[in-house]
């Protein structure tokens, strides 16, 4: 059943598609009734193609091109404009955490899922550092990015408690050649030059039967944080936090018949940097730098993050239903080297029995990663006016590794830890929608997941002690559910209600041995957690298509959630005693007051607090969850104008605001909690295009606002010896050119 939506670009989509685009969507004015006719937006958030208005959930669909040619070239730049989503940068490309709707990243198991098409990239374990890394696919050959807010446990499984991000690939060309090449050069104030080059070619090898796309990019992200001498602040390495990223992909589409479609895809991405972007602060309660605005005492050390993805999908249309089988294998590996000489050289001499000054160097080397194989088979009914359904089977096997090594020079092992794990999941899921009439329908879904995880744990060295645990195995079964109802008041207004759950699987835990009793003081098992979400929303248009709106009210209850807990001063995995209650709203309004001008405003509010005292995570009842602002909003605009002949121009930009938050719980003994102030940034862009050649100029952080994004006040010995913070990139001015064929 096709439901045509007249003149729709619902506000959640318009965040990028209109406000920051250079006219990507069609925007024509009807001279008879002055309706604005906009291209219908189709998304696959419910695992079938639907108009955005028909999805009973808060979904944002954006085009990467609408961002990257405006100087917003990282996935965090997209997320910064989406209400209800918080991205916390960790200091190097591809490293950060995502929180959504008050669901914090509270342990090493992710709470926010990331997919490439139907391939899940998110780790399901506590041991592969999967919560702090992600594939940044903005520069890959991606048609759109879908961000789905709220638990997605029934259709997408574990680790999508707060929501989900999907990179939807562009189909290879089957009819005629398609190609695009671009170059971007920018300069960051107080930093260096950055460059980005992209290219993609899509060729029909057999017209209407076989097509292939080859794409790639190179990016040098400009550094702006200097490495300085801790003795006097002398600059040792300028702009040391610069990084490089390369990515390439191949995508083959074969359609031998109208019913059969076969797709093979390969993606590779490599990120490398020599220095984290954290800045040393003059004190734990100030934003002033210890040796300048952007300076760090850290010694340079390489940090690498690589992704590799293989996938194959077969889809066959039987008429009344279709069969989809997806086989995929996703790998990531991350490594870092940190110079610990200043803090550990003296300790190494003491433990090794050497005279003071013998140790000339102490290095930490960390390696972690995951190899995940997934098989999913899904049956999807044909579109219907009365009853639609989806049913499927899911299998995954994931092997993770985590190696930590601290060695001194001359050779002395201070610490070695190796804890590989293996995760296996079998799941069955089903979803059905019944249409009472063309305006009212209800949906229900269920997923039953059986999980098994095993953990080995080996340590040596005086800082860790000698231990060897092999084959700790944990089994668990978790159910997740979905209930939704939709009512279309008329063609201009849809209402929905949604109840959904999401979960993270149970984990075996790493032991912590009490040196006095010899007992394991860590919980042996980190139990599965589950969040329930309750949401109502409205999507619609008014004023003859000149106004679009999207409003959602939501509440999430998350009991017994997995978190880092403190046992005898040591941090380990565990569960909170009680839970978190989060609630809020998101509202997006787009207006088109005159032809060729669109203005989009969005505003979101989130309250996320502890339900009771939590001694394990050092919080009190009513405490705000750290690093989650209450308010987030933006105002964006785009104006299209004639230049001459075939050339047209665009002038656009945005103002984004992220509210203040607490950096730690009030009673934290591992972090000194200090409020982080809210911040406001402005981005502008101007461009001209004749449909083939596109030229652009842009400025991000136009007013060069030096604003703290996050801070680290780690407490050692009752003090904060080295407070640090990560700051917004200073004003960056750039120019680009893109040629489409």
């Amino acid at each position: 059943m096709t439901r045509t939506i007249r003149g729709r670009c619902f506000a959640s989509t318009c965040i990028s598609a209109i406000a920051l685009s250079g006219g990507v969507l069609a925007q024509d004015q009807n001279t008879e009734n002055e309706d604005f006719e906009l291209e219908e937006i189709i998304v696959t958030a419910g695992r079938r193609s639907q108009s955005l208005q028909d999805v009973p959930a808060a979904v944002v669909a954006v085009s990467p091109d609408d961002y990257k040619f405006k100087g917003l070239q990282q996935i965090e730049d997209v997320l910064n404009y989406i209400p209800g989503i918080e991205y916390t940068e960790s200091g190097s490309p591809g490293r950060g955490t995502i929180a959504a709707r008050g669901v914090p990243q509270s342990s090493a198991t992710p709470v926010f899922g990331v997919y490439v098409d139907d391939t899940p990239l998110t780790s399901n374990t506590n041991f592969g550092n999967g919560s702090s890394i992600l594939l940044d696919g903005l520069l890959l050959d991606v048609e759109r990015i879908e961000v789905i807010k709220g638990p997605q446990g029934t259709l997408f499984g574990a680790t999508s408690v707060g929501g989900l991000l999907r990179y939807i690939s562009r189909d290879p060309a089957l009819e005629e050649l398609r190609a695009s090449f671009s170059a971007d050069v920018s300069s960051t104030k107080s930093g260096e030059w950055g460059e980005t080059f992209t290219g993609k070619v899509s060729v029909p090898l057999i017209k209407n039967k076989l097509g292939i796309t080859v794409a790639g990019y190179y990016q040098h992200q400009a550094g702006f944080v200097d490495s300085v001498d801790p003795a006097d602040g002398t600059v040792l390495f300028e702009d040391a936090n610069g990084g490089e990223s390369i990515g390439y992909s191949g995508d083959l589409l074969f359609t031998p018949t109208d019913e059969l479609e076969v797709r093979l895809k390969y993606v590779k991405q490599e990120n490398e940097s020599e220095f984290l972007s954290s800045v040393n602060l003059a004190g734990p309660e100030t934003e002033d730098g210890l040796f300048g605005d952007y300076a760090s005492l850290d010694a340079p050390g390489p940090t690498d993050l690589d992704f590799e993805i293989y996938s194959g999908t077969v889809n066959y249309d039987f008429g009344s239903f279709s069969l989809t089988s997806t086989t995929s294998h996703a790998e990531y590996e991350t490594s870092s080297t940190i110079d610990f000489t200043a803090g550990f050289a003296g300790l190494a001499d003491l433990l090794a029995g050497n005279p003071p000054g013998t140790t000339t160097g102490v290095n930490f080397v960390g390696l972690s990663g995951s190899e995940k194989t997934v098989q999913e088979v899904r049956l999807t009914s044909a579109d219907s006016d009365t009853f639609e359904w989806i049913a499927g089977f899911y299998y995954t096997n994931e092997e993770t590794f985590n190696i930590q090594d601290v060695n001194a020079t001359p050779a002395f092992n201070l610490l070695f830890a190796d804890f590989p794990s293996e995760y296996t999941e079998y799941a069955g899921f089903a979803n059905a929608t019944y249409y009472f009439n063309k305006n009212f329908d209800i949906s229900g879904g269920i997923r039953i997941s059986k999980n098994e995880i095993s953990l080995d744990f080996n340590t040596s060295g005086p800082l860790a002690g000698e231990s060897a645990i092999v084959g700790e195995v944990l089994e668990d079964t978790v159910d997740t559910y979905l209930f939704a109802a939709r009512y279309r008041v008329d063609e201009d207004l849809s209402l929905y209600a949604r109840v959904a759950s999401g979960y993270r699987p149970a984990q075996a835990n790493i032991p912590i041995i009490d040196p006095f009793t010899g007992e394991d003081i860590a919980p042996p098992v980190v139990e599965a957690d589950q969040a329930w979400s309750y949401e109502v929303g409205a999507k619609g248009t008014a004023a003859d298509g000149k106004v679009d709106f999207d409003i959602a009210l939501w509440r999430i209850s998350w009991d017994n959630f997995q978190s880092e807990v403190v046992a005898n001063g040591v941090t380990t995995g565990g569960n909170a005693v009680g839970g978190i209650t989060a609630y809020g709203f998101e509202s997006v309004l787009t207006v088109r007051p005159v032809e060729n001008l669109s203005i989009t405003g969005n505003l979101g509010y989130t309250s996320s607090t502890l339900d009771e005292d939590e001694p394990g995570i050092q919080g009190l009842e009513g405490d705000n969850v750290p690093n989650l602002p209450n308010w987030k909003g933006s105002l964006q605009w785009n104006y299209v104008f004639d230049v001459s002949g075939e050339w047209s121009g665009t002038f656009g930009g945005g103002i984004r605001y992220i509210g203040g938050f607490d950096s730690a719980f009030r009673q934290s003994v591992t972090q000194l909690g200090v409020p982080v102030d809210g911040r406001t940034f402005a981005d502008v862009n101007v461009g001209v295009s004749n449909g083939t050649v596109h030229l652009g100029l842009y400025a991000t952080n136009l007013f060069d606002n030096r604003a703290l994004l996050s801070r680290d006040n780690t407490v050692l010995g009752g003090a904060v010896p080295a407070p640090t913070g990560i700051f917004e990139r200073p004003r960056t001015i750039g120019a680009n050119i893109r040629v489409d064929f």
Side-chain angles (χ1 to χ4, degrees), residues 186-262:
S186 63
S187 176
T188 297
K189 185 180 179 182
S190 304
E192 58 181 347
W193 288 84
E195 308 89 32
T196 303
F197 304 97
T198 68
K200 50 194 173 187
V201 178
S202 192
V203 182
L205 302 177
I206 303 176
K207 190 172 182 178
N208 296 323
K209 299 292 184 183
L210 181 65
I212 188 171
T213 299
V214 178
Y217 77 88
Y218 166 82
Q219 181 181 57
H220 170 236
Q221 193 170 9
F224 61 92
V225 176
D226 299 330
S227 173
V228 301
D229 190 324
D232 56 11
T234 302
V235 175
L236 302 176
F237 303 97
E238 289 188 342
D239 309 322
N241 68 315
E244 292 186 344
S245 177
I246 63 171
Y248 46 91
S249 64
D251 196 351
L252 184 73
L253 177 63
F254 180 43
T255 57
T257 69
D258 291 341
E259 295 79 20
L260 178 62
E261 178 180 290
V262 179

Side-chain angles (χ1 to χ4, degrees), residues 337-666:
T337 301
I338 305 174
D339 188 341
F340 277 4
T341 304
F344 286 86
L347 179 62
D349 287 337
L350 178 65
L351 294 174
N354 293 326
T358 302
T359 298
T360 58
V362 179
N363 282 318
F364 167 86
V365 177
L367 302 171
S368 60
S370 164
E371 294 187 10
K372 185 174 184 176
T373 300
V374 174
Q375 175 63 56
E376 182 179 86
V377 178
R378 189 169 69 248
L379 300 175
T380 305
S381 70
D383 291 345
S384 170
D385 291 319
T386 55
F387 186 69
E388 296 173 340
W389 53 267
I390 298 173
F393 169 79
Y394 177 90
Y395 164 80
T396 185
N397 176 263
E398 179 182 9
E399 296 181 357
T400 67
F401 63 92
N402 194 317
I403 301 172
Q404 300 176 18
D405 191 10
V406 181
N407 264 290
T409 303
F412 179 67
N413 173 38
L414 280 169
L415 177 150
F416 178 81
D418 179 15
F419 36 100
S421 69
E422 182 174 4
Y423 174 86
T424 303
E425 176 185 344
Y426 299 89
F429 59 91
N431 191 86
T433 300
Y434 178 73
Y435 295 90
F436 291 90
N437 53 52
K438 67 178 182 179
N439 293 324
F440 180 65
D441 57 79
I442 60 172
S443 299
I446 184 173
R447 187 185 192 100
I448 301 175
S449 303
K450 182 176 178 57
N451 314 307
E452 178 181 287
I453 187 166
S454 62
L455 171 68
D456 296 345
F457 184 66
N458 303 282
T459 62
S460 62
L463 295 184
E466 301 288 335
S467 66
I469 298 176
V470 180
E472 286 285 331
V473 179
L474 176 67
E475 296 182 349
D476 195 21
T477 301
V478 181
D479 304 337
T480 51
Y481 302 92
L482 166 68
F483 308 96
R486 298 176 289 192
Y487 177 62
R488 298 164 186 82
V489 178
D490 53 40
E491 67 172 1
D492 293 325
L493 176 62
S494 291
L495 309 176
Y496 72 87
R498 177 185 178 91
V499 179
S501 63
Y503 81 102
R504 290 184 293 180
Q507 307 285 331
N509 203 14
I510 295 174
I512 298 177
I513 305 302
D514 188 315
F516 300 104
T517 66
E519 296 180 353
D520 183 4
I521 59 176
V525 174
V526 181
E527 298 175 357
D529 59 16
Q530 192 168 38
W532 280 92
S533 171
Y534 310 89
E535 177 181 349
V536 294
K539 305 176 183 182
T541 188
D544 294 326
K546 295 181 180 180
V547 176
D548 291 330
F549 57 88
D550 193 336
I551 303 170
L553 305 174
W554 55 268
R555 179 184 179 90
I556 291 179
S557 296
W558 194 20
D559 297 328
N560 194 41
F561 62 91
Q562 296 177 12
S563 182
E564 293 182 344
V565 300
V566 177
N568 284 13
V570 180
T571 300
T572 183
N575 293 85
V577 175
I580 284 174
T581 296
Y583 62 87
F585 73 86
E586 296 129 16
S587 60
V588 187
L589 179 70
T590 296
V591 296
R592 292 173 286 276
V594 297
E595 185 178 5
N596 297 330
L597 172 64
S598 63
I599 303 171
T600 296
N602 72 72
L603 181 66
Y605 174 80
T606 298
S607 172
S608 184
T609 58
L610 296 179
D611 293 339
E612 56 186 270
D613 292 349
E614 296 285 358
I617 62 176
Q618 309 161 59
L620 297 176
E621 180 181 352
D623 273 1
N624 291 317
V625 174
N627 301 313
L628 296 182
N630 291 129
W631 292 96
K632 184 178 181 181
S634 69
L635 182 68
Q636 301 162 268
W637 71 91
N638 193 75
Y639 179 65
V640 182
F641 55 92
D642 292 331
V643 177
S644 65
E646 297 181 351
W647 290 84
S648 62
T650 62
F651 172 62
I655 299 172
R656 46 194 166 95
Y657 170 77
I658 299 176
F661 53 84
D662 297 327
S663 60
F665 287 120
R666 285 181 287 172

Side-chain angles (χ1 to χ4, degrees), residues 1-6 8-10 13 39-46 48-57 59 61 146 383 486 488 491 494 539:
M1 177 174 59
T2 301
R3 303 178 185 86
T4 302
I5 309 299
R6 177 183 57 82
R8 293 292 195 277
C9 173
F10 286 96
T13 300
E39 183 179 322
E40 183 182 12
I41 305 301
I42 301 299
V43 296
T44 55
R48 69 162 69 235
S49 296
Q50 293 175 289
S51 166
L52 188 61
Q53 187 183 15
D54 285 337
V55 180
V59 181
E146 295 182 2
D383 291 345
R486 298 176 289 192
R488 298 164 186 82
E491 67 172 1
S494 291
K539 305 176 183 182

Side-chain angles (χ1 to χ4, degrees), residues 246-292:
I246 63 171
Y248 46 91
S249 64
D251 196 351
L252 184 73
L253 177 63
F254 180 43
T255 57
T257 69
D258 291 341
E259 295 79 20
L260 178 62
E261 178 180 290
V262 179
R263 187 146 181 196
L264 303 176
K265 189 173 182 66
Y266 173 77
V267 177
K268 176 73 172 179
Q269 185 180 82
E270 300 176 355
N271 300 282
E272 180 179 338
S273 61
E274 293 292 331
F275 198 74
L276 297 179
S277 59
S278 58
V279 171
N280 283 90
L281 303 176
E285 299 186 26
T286 181
E287 296 185 8
D288 297 334
L290 182 62
F291 288 111

Side-chain angles (χ1 to χ4, degrees), residues 310-343:
Y310 308 82
S311 67
T313 300
V314 178
N315 188 80
Y316 192 86
D317 187 353
F318 288 92
S320 59
F321 68 92
S322 61
L323 169 67
T324 302
S325 175
T326 299
T327 305
S328 61
H329 182 80
E331 301 179 12
Y332 70 80
E333 180 175 329
T334 177
S335 64
S336 60
T337 301
I338 305 174
D339 188 341
F340 277 4
T341 304

Side-chain angles (χ1 to χ4, degrees), residues 652-707:
I655 299 172
R656 46 194 166 95
Y657 170 77
I658 299 176
F661 53 84
D662 297 327
S663 60
F665 287 120
R666 285 181 287 172
Q667 289 196 332
S668 174
V669 297
T670 56
Q671 283 279 332
L672 175 64
V674 175
V676 175
D677 294 334
R679 61 266 191 193
T680 303
F681 307 103
D683 309 310
V684 295
N685 59 80
V686 62
V688 294
S689 173
N690 66 357
T692 299
V693 179
H694 311 265
L695 304 172
L697 298 172
Y698 62 83
T700 61
N701 192 5
L702 176 65
F703 299 108
D704 195 31
N705 182 11
R706 181 180 178 273

